[in-house]
Amino acid sequence: PPEHPHEHPHERHARHGLIRTFHPRRGRASTTQTDALTRLWPRYGYTIPDPHHDYETPEAAPDAAFDREVLFGRRAPLVLEIGCGMGEATAEMAAADPDRDYLGADVHTPGLGNLIALAEARGLTNVRVARGDVLFLLRDGIASGSLAAVHIFFPDPWPKAKHHKRRIIQPDTVALIRDRLRVGGVVHCATDWAEYAEQMLEVLRADPGLRDRYAGYAPREAVGRPLTGYERRGLRDGRPIADLVFEKTGG
């Protein structure tokens, strides 16, 4: 049998020269966030194995193979949010959608602490967090056809042309995401970077297994995405927000 039974044909290059799609963010966690990370991580948190990372302490070591039923304590449709930031939008969506589970993935530890603190304060049982490079989780931990939705809200736009290869919305990554979606599942992207929005639309439309639900950018009132502090600042600064919603049509 193959070493990685869920591996997609487009994934193999990443095992021989990883291209990171995110900036490592440094920032001190607040007292609330630190407390949440210390107290609640065993219940809410999952550390993504990363073969390119040297784990210096046992406390930072990756967890075992991803098991959604163990992590959430039930089997329910799973929504993966790539880059959940401080978690406000994730918590809002999970609170309004209790029949689905929400997994917020990020490399920013204070943000993960903030999200699990929000989940505890609001009594949300359908929220969990994953720390690390989500592409490894998609490639090695999540089976084909097992996700109800993937949310990618305001990813790093990597504005310099020489860095465009680091953008997460690329044909290979979109093919991987589409493979992990069930038929009828959606990938929902949002950005306030106009040139990136155009690239997102081009790449998503080019995928043969995805259908554009709105024939272009989705109307803001139709997408059901909570307004975040980041988005409010963008709107205040005059940056237009683009939402794109694509549905998986086949295997």
Side-chain angles (χ1 to χ4, degrees):
E3 182 181 358
H4 302 280
H6 300 310
E7 187 171 64
H8 190 276
H10 294 290
E11 300 163 32
R12 300 186 185 108
H13 72 281
R15 304 187 183 281
H16 307 282
L18 178 71
I19 296 177
R20 293 291 191 191
T21 61
F22 54 85
H23 280 295
R25 294 174 61 190
R26 305 190 190 284
R28 296 184 63 180
S30 69
T31 301
T32 298
Q33 293 159 3
T34 300
D35 173 69
L37 290 166
T38 301
R39 279 191 308 108
L40 303 175
W41 189 264
R43 176 184 173 191
Y44 287 92
Y46 176 79
T47 300
I48 301 168
D50 182 342
H52 293 263
H53 183 78
D54 293 325
Y55 295 96
E56 297 178 1
T57 65
E59 292 80 8
D63 290 313
F66 181 72
D67 188 326
R68 58 194 282 185
E69 292 187 44
V70 171
L71 187 61
F72 285 93
R74 68 173 185 173
R75 184 77 175 184
L78 180 60
V79 178
L80 173 65
E81 183 168 359
I82 298 177
C84 58
M86 298 306 290
E88 299 99 331
T90 312
E92 287 289 336
M93 289 183 290
D97 190 16
D99 292 332
R100 299 200 298 180
D101 290 333
Y102 281 75
L103 179 64
D106 212 308
V107 295
H108 184 51
T109 304
L112 297 177
N114 197 66
L115 175 52
I116 59 179
L118 288 171
E120 182 188 44
R122 300 184 63 167
L124 302 177
T125 60
N126 61 333
V127 172
R128 298 292 187 270
V129 299
R131 174 178 58 197
D133 190 337
V134 72
L135 293 183
F136 286 119
L137 178 62
L138 281 166
R139 289 166 180 146
D140 304 327
I142 294 179
S144 178
S146 63
L147 294 177
V150 175
H151 296 162
I152 309 173
F153 299 154
F154 305 101
D156 194 324
W158 294 99
K160 294 182 180 179
K162 67 179 181 179
H163 291 152
H164 284 184
K165 64 185 178 182
R166 297 188 179 277
R167 289 175 169 176
I168 195 166
I169 300 301
Q170 305 281 357
D172 284 356
T173 306
V174 169
L176 171 61
I177 290 170
R178 184 248 302 147
D179 178 79
R180 294 332 189 227
L181 287 170
R182 67 187 187 189
V183 175
V186 301
V187 55
H188 179 182
C189 302
T191 183
D192 61 350
W193 198 266
E195 184 270 333
Y196 195 9
E198 294 173 2
Q199 180 196 334
M200 286 181 174
L201 189 59
E202 179 181 350
V203 171
L204 291 164
R205 279 180 168 171
D207 189 285
L210 294 176
R211 178 182 69 86
D212 187 351
R213 278 191 170 179
Y214 294 95
Y217 301 126
R220 181 67 181 83
E221 63 276 8
V223 297
R225 180 173 57 77
L227 190 68
T228 66
Y230 177 88
E231 186 175 2
R232 289 189 186 92
R233 289 193 298 273
L235 291 169
R236 186 179 63 240
D237 294 341
R239 298 195 300 271
I241 309 299
D243 280 88
L244 303 94
V245 181
F246 281 71
E247 177 180 338
K248 179 174 178 176
T249 58

